[in-house]
Amino acid sequence: MWYTLALFVHILGAIALFVAVSLIVIAFVRMRQAATLEQVREWAVVANMAGKSMIFISLVILAPALYMVIIAWGFATPWVLASLITFVALSIMGAAMNGRNIERIVAQAQAASSDLIPGELRARLLAPQLWLTEGIRLMLLLGILSLMTIKPDMLFSVLILAGMLILGIVLGMIAQRLPGRVSHKQQLV
C-alpha cells in the first residue's frame, strides 16, 4: 500500500514538473515575441514562479522515488541509477543556468524605465544558451520518463539518455532560430 501511495505522489510530481517546465518554455516564447516591456514583465513573473516551484516539485518527486528504490528496486538497478544521476544533473543545471537566467530577465525587465524592451534584455531572450538548456532539459526529462516506463539495462538506459540529449540539442537549436518579434521602434534604437 505504501509503495502504491509513493508511486502516486511520484507520478503527480512528474506531472507537475512537466507543467512547470512547459510554463517556463511558454513564458520564454511569449517574452521573445513580446512587443512591449510590460508583456515581458508579465511573462517573466510566470517563468519566475514556475522556476521557483521546481524546487518543491523536485522534492515531491525525489522523496517517494527514494522510498520506492529502497523498498523495491535498489540503487544498483541500471535504469534507477541512470534516472537518479540524470535527475540530479538536471536539478543542478536548472538551478545554476535556468534559474539564474530567469532571475536576470526579471531584474532587467523590472529595472527598465521605458516601454521599449532594452537591447540587452532582448539579446538575453534570444540567447542560444537559453533555448539550448531548455531543449536539453525537456528531452532529458522525457528520457527519464522512458527509463521509468521501459526499465532497460544500463547500456540501453545510456543509449536512451544519449539519444534524448542529442534530440534536446537539436530542439534547442531549432528553437533559437525561431523568429522573435522586433518592433519598428526597437529597430531604430
Side-chain angles (χ1 to χ4, degrees):
M1 177 178 126
W2 292 110
Y3 181 90
T4 306
L5 181 60
L7 180 61
F8 176 72
V9 171
H10 184 68
I11 291 170
L12 283 179
I15 292 168
L17 183 63
F18 277 97
V19 168
V21 170
S22 297
L23 281 173
I24 291 170
V25 170
I26 290 168
F28 282 159
V29 168
R30 297 302 301 199
M31 285 188 282
R32 183 180 182 155
Q33 296 172 344
T36 67
L37 186 58
E38 188 55 36
Q39 291 171 330
V40 171
R41 286 180 179 144
E42 289 171 4
W43 285 104
V45 168
V46 171
N48 197 29
M49 287 175 49
K52 290 186 184 213
S53 74
M54 290 179 70
I55 296 167
F56 174 72
I57 293 168
S58 293
L59 293 174
V60 170
I61 290 172
L62 197 55
L66 292 175
Y67 171 79
M68 291 184 294
V69 167
I70 291 168
I71 295 301
W73 296 100
F75 288 98
T77 305
W79 65 269
V80 169
L81 186 59
S83 295
L84 282 173
I85 290 170
T86 305
F87 188 78
V88 169
L90 284 174
S91 297
I92 292 168
M93 182 181 90
M97 298 174 78
N98 303 44
R100 287 189 183 142
N101 277 331
I102 292 170
E103 288 173 4
R104 289 181 188 130
I105 289 167
V106 169
Q108 285 180 324
Q110 297 304 328
S113 57
S114 72
D115 193 39
L116 295 176
I117 301 169
E120 185 179 334
L121 178 56
R122 177 69 66 191
R124 185 172 301 282
L125 293 170
L126 297 172
Q129 171 194 333
L130 178 74
W131 299 97
L132 195 59
T133 56
E134 288 305 321
I136 290 170
R137 176 165 56 177
L138 183 61
M139 295 312 295
L140 284 177
L141 286 173
L142 287 173
I144 292 171
L145 186 62
S146 70
L147 294 183
M148 290 187 301
T149 306
I150 300 169
K151 298 176 179 32
D153 62 17
M154 185 53 82
L155 177 62
F156 199 46
S157 295
V158 170
L159 289 174
I160 287 172
L161 292 174
M164 291 307 215
L165 177 63
I166 292 167
L167 287 174
I169 292 169
V170 170
L171 179 63
M173 292 170 64
I174 291 170
Q176 73 188 19
R177 296 182 195 278
L178 296 175
R181 175 181 278 169
V182 178
S183 70
H184 179 67
K185 289 180 185 178
Q186 290 164 334
Q187 289 175 348
L188 296 176
V189 175

